[in-house]
Amino acid sequence: MTIFLVSFLSVAKLVLVVLLGVVLGKRGVITKEGRACLSNIIMMVMLPCLLVASLSQNASVENLGKLPMLMVAAAVYVAFGLLVAALLRRVFRIGPENARIIGAATSFGNASYLPLPLLAAVCASAPVFADDPSGALSRSVAYVSIFLMCHSPLLWLVAFPYLSGHSWRELRLRQVLNMPILASTTGVILGTVPFLRALIVRCRRAVAHCD
């Protein structure tokens, strides 16, 4: 019951934020141009900063061998989803006009950056994380970002051609190697290279001392 209540309240917080955004959009407080601007700021600045900070703190030489398993899990997730889609097409005799939609729905669910605010709500309210909610959030963001380092390129290299019918050669490099992916890669490098990790630790101590 506790797990259910925490999950329900976490989702409810996200729903309230979405509803608030809808109301502000309907009333013209947030215009179409404003939404595009906020989206660009989040994707180009705020999210990359969060990923770099979390990964540089939680990625290390000691757990480097564990991190690739999250990337493998992303590939298995997509492969299993495509298998389920193939079985559904055979069992229910789904026509070719809907086959791609079924395949995309089972293989490329919303495993992108939506889990991040949900994790923030869970870590802040779940009793199991009560002793260190900020540390739990930092670790969870690091794990999700490692997962997305494989899932996001697959989304563009597999799902985009699969749904649109275009060749993957028509993709732009910045779509595959987007800012969150580059930020995750940077965070892993900063966390696993001893010299850079030591430099980050010194900088954090200096900032904490100034505060």
Side-chain angles (χ1 to χ4, degrees):
M1 181 60 70
T2 301
I3 296 175
F4 172 79
L5 182 60
V6 169
S7 301
F8 175 79
L9 292 176
S10 301
V11 174
K13 290 178 183 178
L14 292 180
V15 172
L16 289 175
V17 172
V18 172
L19 290 177
L20 178 60
V22 171
V23 172
L24 293 177
K26 292 287 187 179
R27 295 189 175 184
V29 177
I30 301 178
T31 62
K32 182 178 180 180
E33 294 76 13
R35 292 194 296 269
C37 182
L38 288 173
S39 177
N40 287 332
I41 292 174
I42 291 173
M43 293 299 295
M44 300 297 292
V45 180
M46 299 178 68
L47 181 58
C49 289
L50 175 64
L51 297 180
V52 169
S54 298
L55 275 167
S56 62
Q57 180 178 348
N58 292 284
S60 63
V61 177
E62 290 76 15
N63 62 18
L64 186 60
K66 303 176 183 178
L67 298 181
M69 293 304 299
L70 292 170
M71 301 178 69
V72 173
V76 172
Y77 174 87
V78 172
F80 183 75
L82 291 174
L83 177 61
V84 170
L87 292 175
L88 290 175
R89 289 198 300 268
R90 286 183 175 272
V91 172
F92 297 100
R93 298 180 180 179
I94 299 173
E97 66 277 3
N98 295 319
R100 291 182 178 180
I101 298 176
I102 297 297
T106 56
S107 306
F108 296 94
N110 203 339
S112 188
Y113 303 100
L114 184 61
L116 296 179
L118 181 60
L119 286 170
V122 170
C123 292
S125 55
V128 69
F129 302 127
D131 293 336
D132 186 20
S134 60
L137 175 59
S138 180
R139 290 191 299 273
S140 62
V141 170
Y143 297 151
V144 170
S145 58
I146 291 294
F147 180 89
L148 293 177
M149 287 179 69
C150 179
H151 185 271
S152 184
L154 286 176
L155 181 65
W156 287 103
L157 294 174
V158 178
F160 176 78
Y162 186 73
L163 279 175
S164 66
H166 295 91
S167 171
W168 60 268
R169 294 183 180 86
E170 299 180 37
L171 286 171
R172 298 177 180 178
L173 184 62
R174 64 181 177 85
Q175 291 175 311
V176 180
L177 297 179
N178 49 54
M179 281 300 295
I181 295 298
L182 295 176
S184 298
T185 304
T186 302
V188 171
I189 294 173
L190 292 175
T192 54
V193 176
F195 167 74
L196 296 176
R197 186 177 180 84
L199 182 61
I200 292 174
V201 171
R202 292 195 196 99
C203 292
R204 285 175 178 163
R205 288 177 179 173
V207 171
H209 181 73
C210 292
D211 293 339

